[in-house]
Amino acid sequence: MSNVTTGAAAAEQPYEVDECRGVLRVYSDGSIWRSSEPSFKVPVHDDGSVVWKDAFFDSDHDLHLRLYKPASPSSTKLPIFYYIHGGGFCIGSRAWPNCQNYCFKLALDLQAVIISPDYRLAPENRLPAAIEDGYMAVKWLQAQAMSEEPDTWLTDVADFSKVFISGDSAGGNIAHNLAVRLGAGSPELAPVLVRGYVLLAPFFGGTVKSKSEAEGPKEAFLNWELIDRFWRLSIPIGDTTDHPLVNPFGPQSRSLEPLELDPILVVMGGSDLLKDRAKDYAERLQEWGKDIKYVEFEGQQHGFFTINPNSEPATKLMQIIKTFIVEKST
């Protein structure tokens, strides 16, 4: 009799059904465990050349963003550059050391104010939560620009007429969806003016596998099994990866052809499984007459610029971003 009881109790014990990079575990009963530690354990290189602080941007959802600026700026007014972190919509944070180190580098090399927002993560908060949070992070900037009692730490150096929105992987998806939502000239953000978007290895999907997804190496930093898991955990339950927020060219997606969009820079590693989708995205928008540039770094994997921020390709990418900012600011 006791064996039956033990067996029943064992059957009721929740078991792990999904795991992401050691920092997220999803169990059979729907419960979720998240680590307080980052999945990328690298030292933070805070040498004082960049100053930073956190600010609330959405008290309803307890969301912060991290602000960075050069300690000795080269100009009295600096462009504003959003850096929205990646992690398949499921993991990642503005406070992870790899994110923080890259933002230090962006602030110094671009001579810009960097804004790195958090957003609600899946599976607790499935899409469109992350997209909405990205929008709220940009609306926060507008509130600062219009405030009678602004945060002078920001407003003394920030040029609200030169704003660029970038995102890494899932953050690149958020940046794309913001570009579509805000439209050219971002009229609803006035006096904030978005000049362009930088999509760094944007995380797009679709029910039909691309060639690079189907043939990409299993040992890739972002392999197909992990891509599939991120989508399963982040898309609305009952939906597919042709969801309009996931696949810009899905059957239910809004046509991008008639839309007026701000300039977009798309950056991919040549060995990234997401490459074909991003390249197709850029080529279609180019055919429709949009101001879009596609840059591919041969042999580089997903996230090469944050994994090896001092590498030659990452250094070259920084110069490309800097040129894009200068060109689109005039």
Side-chain angles (χ1 to χ4, degrees), residues 12-55:
E12 288 166 14
Q13 280 293 106
Y15 56 91
E16 185 183 300
V17 290
D18 275 309
E19 180 274 332
C20 296
R21 298 219 190 274
V23 294
L24 169 65
R25 301 186 192 281
V26 182
Y27 293 93
S28 54
D29 63 353
S31 62
I32 286 159
W33 170 87
R34 282 190 182 276
S35 173
S36 58
E37 294 295 311
S39 67
F40 299 97
K41 292 185 172 66
V42 294
V44 174
H45 304 299
D46 189 355
D47 61 7
S49 60
V50 172
V51 290
W52 60 277
K53 69 172 191 172
D54 285 336

Side-chain angles (χ1 to χ4, degrees), residues 201-236:
F203 192 40
F204 295 137
T207 52
V208 179
K209 270 190 186 180
S210 71
K211 189 172 186 287
S212 59
E213 287 171 341
E215 299 177 5
K218 286 185 169 60
E219 70 278 5
F221 175 70
L222 182 66
N223 60 28
W224 173 251
E225 200 262 340
L226 190 54
I227 291 170
D228 184 54
R229 191 181 317 162
F230 280 146
W231 285 133
R232 252 189 310 108
L233 294 173
S234 63
I235 58 174

Side-chain angles (χ1 to χ4, degrees), residues 48-310:
S49 60
V50 172
V51 290
W52 60 277
K53 69 172 191 172
D54 285 336
F56 255 125
F57 75 90
D58 186 345
S59 53
D60 288 350
H61 298 116
D62 192 31
L63 290 172
H64 293 80
L65 48 77
R66 189 158 283 183
L67 297 159
Y68 301 81
K69 65 181 180 181
S72 304
S74 62
S75 174
T76 53
K77 287 289 183 184
L78 303 176
I80 298 167
F81 190 85
Y82 272 80
Y83 176 77
I84 308 171
H85 72 77
F89 292 111
C90 296
I91 61 174
S93 164
R94 78 192 190 290
W96 278 17
N98 59 314
C99 181
Q100 181 136 10
N101 285 336
Y102 198 56
C103 287
F104 285 145
K105 199 159 180 52
L106 287 166
L108 211 54
D109 291 1
L110 300 179
Q111 284 296 299
V113 174
I114 309 301
I115 302 179
S116 180
D118 274 337
Y119 48 87
R120 285 170 289 166
L121 298 174
E124 304 96 316
N125 301 281
R126 290 174 178 262
L127 292 170
I131 313 294
E132 290 300 322
D133 296 340
Y135 178 74
M136 291 300 292
V138 181
K139 291 293 281 184
W140 173 88
L141 186 66
Q142 181 187 36
Q144 286 295 316
M146 298 175 72
S147 175
E148 291 179 6
E149 294 181 3
D151 182 351
T152 54
W153 189 99
L154 170 70
T155 56
D156 281 356
V157 296
D159 186 341
F160 292 102
S161 74
K162 293 178 183 174
V163 177
F164 292 82
I165 298 177
S166 86
D168 174 359
S169 196
N173 175 301
I174 294 172
H176 155 73
N177 280 296
L178 287 175
V180 171
R181 181 168 181 171
L182 295 171
S186 51
E188 66 181 279
L189 292 181
V192 168
L193 180 59
V194 179
R195 299 299 189 107
Y197 294 81
V198 180
L199 312 189
L200 300 165
F203 192 40
F204 295 137
T207 52
V208 179
K209 270 190 186 180
S210 71
K211 189 172 186 287
S212 59
E213 287 171 341
E215 299 177 5
K218 286 185 169 60
E219 70 278 5
F221 175 70
L222 182 66
N223 60 28
W224 173 251
E225 200 262 340
L226 190 54
I227 291 170
D228 184 54
R229 191 181 317 162
F230 280 146
W231 285 133
R232 252 189 310 108
L233 294 173
S234 63
I235 58 174
I237 290 169
D239 268 314
T240 73
T241 45
D242 277 335
H243 188 286
L245 295 177
V246 174
N247 183 355
F249 309 113
Q252 277 84 47
S253 300
R254 176 184 181 184
S255 173
L256 302 181
E257 186 173 3
L259 298 184
E260 294 288 329
L261 298 172
D262 284 316
I264 300 173
L265 170 64
V266 181
V267 177
M268 291 305 299
S271 297
D272 191 333
L273 271 68
L274 301 176
K275 179 187 77 170
D276 286 354
R277 289 195 184 279
K279 191 173 183 181
D280 175 59
Y281 168 86
E283 287 174 351
R284 289 206 208 189
L285 293 186
Q286 281 171 343
E287 285 170 13
W288 293 330
K290 316 299 180 198
D291 182 352
I292 184 154
K293 182 178 182 181
Y294 176 78
V295 180
E296 187 177 303
F297 286 85
E298 187 180 350
Q300 295 302 307
Q301 63 175 326
H302 189 77
F304 69 91
F305 42 89
T306 55
I307 296 169
N308 299 303
N310 296 312

